[in-house]
Amino acid sequence: MKIANISLKGDAVLAPLAGFTDVGFRDIAVRYGASLTYTEMISCKGMVYGSEKTKELLATTNNEKLKAVQVFGCDPTIMAKACVMPEIQKFDIIDINMGCPVPKIVGNGEGSALLNTPKLAEQIVKEVKKASGKVVTVKFRKGFKKGDNVAVDFAKTMQDAGADAITIHGRTREDYYNGKADWDTIAEVVRAVQIPVIANGDVVDLQSYFDIKKHTNASGVMIARGALGNPQIFKEIVNYTTKIATIFDKVDKKRDILMQIETLKGFYSDRYIYSNMKKQVCFYLKGMAGAKGIKDAVCHVQSVTELVDIINKINFD
């Protein structure tokens, strides 16, 4: 897949997921073959007004050869200011979030609320593109309310504003993550625009990756919840498509968790690490015999040392 002047080695990318796609998890996904990774959502207001917590989310590793930052906001001027800051400029791609369904974000006129204000969305893309000089992409949903479908018109608006690629999630804001993603709409968007379209929604394994590619003819596939506790999904895709060698040649969940923790130690406090890793570990335990007791223990740890001790005792085989 190619986005503007950037060539990716594959077409399967890791979605930006607030609370999950931290620098440690992104590093693991890349080792398994993710062709592009995105940070968690970054507040442009937070950047401009000097929020250290916001800046902390911008940590990267050397394994992320190509990397994208996902930003959100609703003020074109503030967003443009944020995107020229050095912390943002180190990224290859700036992705603008126009799909987040969370009430706090939507209530501020950000995220998927921008589907209701296409002129403002258009201005945001133009200002960010002009100021940053970077490749700019947009991620959005097919509509705001149940039954809405503004995807094609919105996609064309984003293309005309200068977006180099778009990602579309085949659900409305009110759907959240319920029901089945509308792949037909993604296919309509692919036919309607000339820029690359990345399909998003209900990709959880190798088969669904192939299915969404065939159904939509999209240039790429974004994997979100399907990668949680399962970053090896990228290796499965690479093995059947590009045949490119990955850093990890075998799956080892214990190694992955411990390596993620070690990466996080280079950037964050002990409390931050064990608090954020609890939910990640629970995804790795999904479907395992005796997982409930282990999850309970994990959710009650009060230090990274405690968490590591529990992980080392788990038999993932």
Short mmCIF file of all heavy atoms in Angstrom, two decimals, residues 216-247:
data_model
loop_
_atom_site.label_atom_id
_atom_site.label_comp_id
_atom_site.label_asym_id
_atom_site.label_seq_id
_atom_site.Cartn_x
_atom_site.Cartn_y
_atom_site.Cartn_z
N THR A 216 -14.54 -5.14 -0.17
CA THR A 216 -14.45 -3.69 -0.34
C THR A 216 -13.47 -3.24 -1.41
O THR A 216 -13.55 -2.12 -1.90
CB THR A 216 -14.03 -3.02 0.98
OG1 THR A 216 -12.68 -3.41 1.30
CG2 THR A 216 -14.97 -3.42 2.12
N ASN A 217 -12.49 -4.07 -1.72
CA ASN A 217 -11.41 -3.70 -2.62
C ASN A 217 -10.59 -2.51 -2.08
O ASN A 217 -10.02 -1.72 -2.82
CB ASN A 217 -11.93 -3.35 -4.02
CG ASN A 217 -10.86 -3.46 -5.09
OD1 ASN A 217 -9.94 -4.28 -4.99
ND2 ASN A 217 -10.95 -2.63 -6.11
N ALA A 218 -10.56 -2.39 -0.75
CA ALA A 218 -9.82 -1.31 -0.11
C ALA A 218 -8.31 -1.51 -0.28
O ALA A 218 -7.83 -2.63 -0.46
CB ALA A 218 -10.16 -1.25 1.38
N SER A 219 -7.59 -0.40 -0.20
CA SER A 219 -6.13 -0.46 -0.35
C SER A 219 -5.46 -1.09 0.87
O SER A 219 -4.39 -1.67 0.76
CB SER A 219 -5.58 0.96 -0.54
OG SER A 219 -6.09 1.54 -1.71
N GLY A 220 -6.10 -0.94 2.04
CA GLY A 220 -5.52 -1.47 3.26
C GLY A 220 -6.58 -1.87 4.26
O GLY A 220 -7.77 -1.58 4.07
N VAL A 221 -6.15 -2.53 5.31
CA VAL A 221 -7.04 -3.00 6.35
C VAL A 221 -6.51 -2.56 7.71
O VAL A 221 -5.33 -2.76 8.02
CB VAL A 221 -7.17 -4.54 6.33
CG1 VAL A 221 -8.02 -5.03 7.50
CG2 VAL A 221 -7.74 -5.01 5.00
N MET A 222 -7.37 -1.94 8.50
CA MET A 222 -6.99 -1.51 9.84
C MET A 222 -7.58 -2.49 10.85
O MET A 222 -8.77 -2.77 10.84
CB MET A 222 -7.50 -0.09 10.13
CG MET A 222 -7.16 0.41 11.53
SD MET A 222 -7.62 2.14 11.79
CE MET A 222 -6.28 2.98 10.94
N ILE A 223 -6.71 -3.00 11.72
CA ILE A 223 -7.14 -3.98 12.72
C ILE A 223 -7.11 -3.32 14.09
O ILE A 223 -6.09 -2.76 14.50
CB ILE A 223 -6.23 -5.22 12.69
CG1 ILE A 223 -6.26 -5.83 11.28
CG2 ILE A 223 -6.68 -6.24 13.73
CD1 ILE A 223 -5.28 -6.96 11.08
N ALA A 224 -8.23 -3.39 14.78
CA ALA A 224 -8.37 -2.73 16.08
C ALA A 224 -8.50 -3.77 17.19
O ALA A 224 -7.52 -4.36 17.62
CB ALA A 224 -9.57 -1.79 16.05
N ARG A 225 -9.74 -4.01 17.64
CA ARG A 225 -9.96 -4.94 18.75
C ARG A 225 -9.45 -6.34 18.45
O ARG A 225 -9.08 -7.08 19.36
CB ARG A 225 -11.44 -4.97 19.11
CG ARG A 225 -11.95 -3.66 19.73
CD ARG A 225 -13.46 -3.67 19.89
NE ARG A 225 -14.14 -3.70 18.59
CZ ARG A 225 -15.40 -4.05 18.41
NH1 ARG A 225 -16.12 -4.45 19.44
NH2 ARG A 225 -15.95 -4.03 17.21
N GLY A 226 -9.40 -6.72 17.18
CA GLY A 226 -8.91 -8.04 16.79
C GLY A 226 -7.44 -8.25 17.10
O GLY A 226 -6.96 -9.39 17.10
N ALA A 227 -6.71 -7.17 17.37
CA ALA A 227 -5.29 -7.28 17.69
C ALA A 227 -5.02 -7.31 19.19
O ALA A 227 -3.90 -7.62 19.61
CB ALA A 227 -4.52 -6.12 17.06
N LEU A 228 -6.03 -7.00 20.01
CA LEU A 228 -5.81 -6.95 21.45
C LEU A 228 -5.61 -8.35 22.01
O LEU A 228 -6.46 -9.24 21.84
CB LEU A 228 -7.00 -6.27 22.13
CG LEU A 228 -7.24 -4.81 21.73
CD1 LEU A 228 -8.43 -4.24 22.47
CD2 LEU A 228 -6.00 -3.97 21.97
N GLY A 229 -4.48 -8.56 22.66
CA GLY A 229 -4.12 -9.89 23.13
C GLY A 229 -3.77 -10.83 22.01
O GLY A 229 -3.50 -12.01 22.22
N ASN A 230 -3.74 -10.31 20.80
CA ASN A 230 -3.55 -11.13 19.60
C ASN A 230 -2.73 -10.39 18.53
O ASN A 230 -3.10 -10.36 17.36
CB ASN A 230 -4.94 -11.50 19.03
CG ASN A 230 -4.86 -12.40 17.82
OD1 ASN A 230 -4.06 -13.33 17.77
ND2 ASN A 230 -5.71 -12.15 16.83
N PRO A 231 -1.60 -9.77 18.92
CA PRO A 231 -0.81 -9.03 17.91
C PRO A 231 -0.24 -9.94 16.83
O PRO A 231 0.14 -9.46 15.76
CB PRO A 231 0.29 -8.38 18.75
CG PRO A 231 0.42 -9.27 19.96
CD PRO A 231 -0.98 -9.72 20.25
N GLN A 232 -0.21 -11.25 17.10
CA GLN A 232 0.31 -12.18 16.10
C GLN A 232 -0.57 -12.26 14.85
O GLN A 232 -0.19 -12.84 13.86
CB GLN A 232 0.48 -13.58 16.69
CG GLN A 232 -0.79 -14.25 17.16
CD GLN A 232 -1.06 -14.03 18.64
OE1 GLN A 232 -0.62 -13.04 19.22
NE2 GLN A 232 -1.78 -14.96 19.25
N ILE A 233 -1.74 -11.62 14.89
CA ILE A 233 -2.59 -11.57 13.70
C ILE A 233 -1.84 -10.95 12.52
O ILE A 233 -2.03 -11.33 11.37
CB ILE A 233 -3.90 -10.79 13.97
CG1 ILE A 233 -4.87 -10.91 12.79
CG2 ILE A 233 -3.63 -9.33 14.30
CD1 ILE A 233 -6.24 -10.30 13.06
N PHE A 234 -0.93 -10.02 12.82
CA PHE A 234 -0.16 -9.39 11.75
C PHE A 234 0.83 -10.38 11.12
O PHE A 234 1.05 -10.35 9.92
CB PHE A 234 0.57 -8.15 12.28
CG PHE A 234 -0.37 -7.05 12.68
CD1 PHE A 234 -0.64 -6.79 14.01
CD2 PHE A 234 -1.02 -6.30 11.71
CE1 PHE A 234 -1.52 -5.78 14.38
CE2 PHE A 234 -1.91 -5.29 12.07
CZ PHE A 234 -2.16 -5.04 13.41
N LYS A 235 1.39 -11.24 11.93
CA LYS A 235 2.31 -12.26 11.40
C LYS A 235 1.56 -13.24 10.50
O LYS A 235 2.08 -13.63 9.44
CB LYS A 235 2.98 -13.01 12.55
CG LYS A 235 3.98 -14.08 12.08
CD LYS A 235 4.74 -14.68 13.24
CE LYS A 235 5.69 -15.76 12.77
NZ LYS A 235 6.67 -15.26 11.78
N GLU A 236 0.35 -13.61 10.90
CA GLU A 236 -0.45 -14.52 10.09
C GLU A 236 -0.73 -13.91 8.73
O GLU A 236 -0.67 -14.58 7.70
CB GLU A 236 -1.76 -14.83 10.81
CG GLU A 236 -1.58 -15.62 12.11
CD GLU A 236 -2.84 -15.68 12.94
OE1 GLU A 236 -3.91 -15.28 12.42
OE2 GLU A 236 -2.77 -16.09 14.11
N ILE A 237 -1.03 -12.60 8.72
CA ILE A 237 -1.31 -11.92 7.46
C ILE A 237 -0.06 -11.82 6.60
O ILE A 237 -0.07 -12.12 5.40
CB ILE A 237 -1.89 -10.51 7.73
CG1 ILE A 237 -3.30 -10.65 8.33
CG2 ILE A 237 -1.93 -9.68 6.45
CD1 ILE A 237 -3.86 -9.36 8.88
N VAL A 238 1.05 -11.43 7.22
CA VAL A 238 2.31 -11.31 6.48
C VAL A 238 2.73 -12.65 5.87
O VAL A 238 3.19 -12.72 4.72
CB VAL A 238 3.42 -10.77 7.40
CG1 VAL A 238 4.79 -10.92 6.75
CG2 VAL A 238 3.17 -9.30 7.73
N ASN A 239 2.57 -13.72 6.63
CA ASN A 239 2.96 -15.04 6.14
C ASN A 239 2.19 -15.46 4.90
O ASN A 239 2.70 -16.22 4.07
CB ASN A 239 2.75 -16.10 7.25
CG ASN A 239 3.79 -16.01 8.35
OD1 ASN A 239 4.82 -15.35 8.20
ND2 ASN A 239 3.53 -16.67 9.46
N TYR A 240 0.95 -14.97 4.76
CA TYR A 240 0.12 -15.35 3.62
C TYR A 240 0.11 -14.32 2.49
O TYR A 240 -0.47 -14.56 1.44
CB TYR A 240 -1.32 -15.60 4.08
CG TYR A 240 -1.52 -16.98 4.67
CD1 TYR A 240 -1.31 -17.20 6.03
CD2 TYR A 240 -1.91 -18.04 3.87
CE1 TYR A 240 -1.49 -18.46 6.58
CE2 TYR A 240 -2.10 -19.30 4.41
CZ TYR A 240 -1.89 -19.52 5.76
OH TYR A 240 -2.06 -20.77 6.29
N THR A 241 0.71 -13.19 2.72
CA THR A 241 0.65 -12.13 1.70
C THR A 241 2.04 -11.73 1.21
O THR A 241 2.48 -12.17 0.16
CB THR A 241 -0.11 -10.91 2.23
OG1 THR A 241 0.47 -10.47 3.47
CG2 THR A 241 -1.58 -11.23 2.45
N THR A 242 2.73 -10.91 1.97
CA THR A 242 4.00 -10.36 1.49
C THR A 242 5.16 -11.32 1.59
O THR A 242 6.16 -11.16 0.90
CB THR A 242 4.37 -9.09 2.30
OG1 THR A 242 4.60 -9.45 3.67
CG2 THR A 242 3.25 -8.07 2.23
N LYS A 243 5.07 -12.29 2.50
CA LYS A 243 6.16 -13.25 2.74
C LYS A 243 7.42 -12.58 3.31
O LYS A 243 8.49 -13.17 3.33
CB LYS A 243 6.54 -14.01 1.46
CG LYS A 243 5.37 -14.64 0.72
CD LYS A 243 4.70 -15.73 1.53
CE LYS A 243 3.58 -16.39 0.73
NZ LYS A 243 2.85 -17.41 1.50
N ILE A 244 7.29 -11.34 3.76
CA ILE A 244 8.43 -10.62 4.33
C ILE A 244 8.73 -11.17 5.72
O ILE A 244 7.81 -11.44 6.51
CB ILE A 244 8.13 -9.11 4.41
CG1 ILE A 244 7.98 -8.54 3.00
CG2 ILE A 244 9.23 -8.37 5.16
CD1 ILE A 244 7.48 -7.10 2.98
N ALA A 245 10.00 -11.34 6.05
CA ALA A 245 10.39 -11.86 7.36
C ALA A 245 10.01 -10.86 8.45
O ALA A 245 10.15 -9.65 8.28
CB ALA A 245 11.89 -12.13 7.39
N THR A 246 9.50 -11.35 9.56
CA THR A 246 9.14 -10.50 10.69
C THR A 246 10.19 -10.64 11.79
O THR A 246 10.96 -11.60 11.82
CB THR A 246 7.76 -10.90 11.25
OG1 THR A 246 7.78 -12.28 11.61
CG2 THR A 246 6.68 -10.67 10.22
N ILE A 247 10.23 -9.66 12.69
CA ILE A 247 11.20 -9.70 13.78
C ILE A 247 10.95 -10.90 14.68
O ILE A 247 11.88 -11.60 15.08
CB ILE A 247 11.16 -8.38 14.59
CG1 ILE A 247 11.54 -7.20 13.69
CG2 ILE A 247 12.11 -8.46 15.79
CD1 ILE A 247 11.39 -5.84 14.36
#
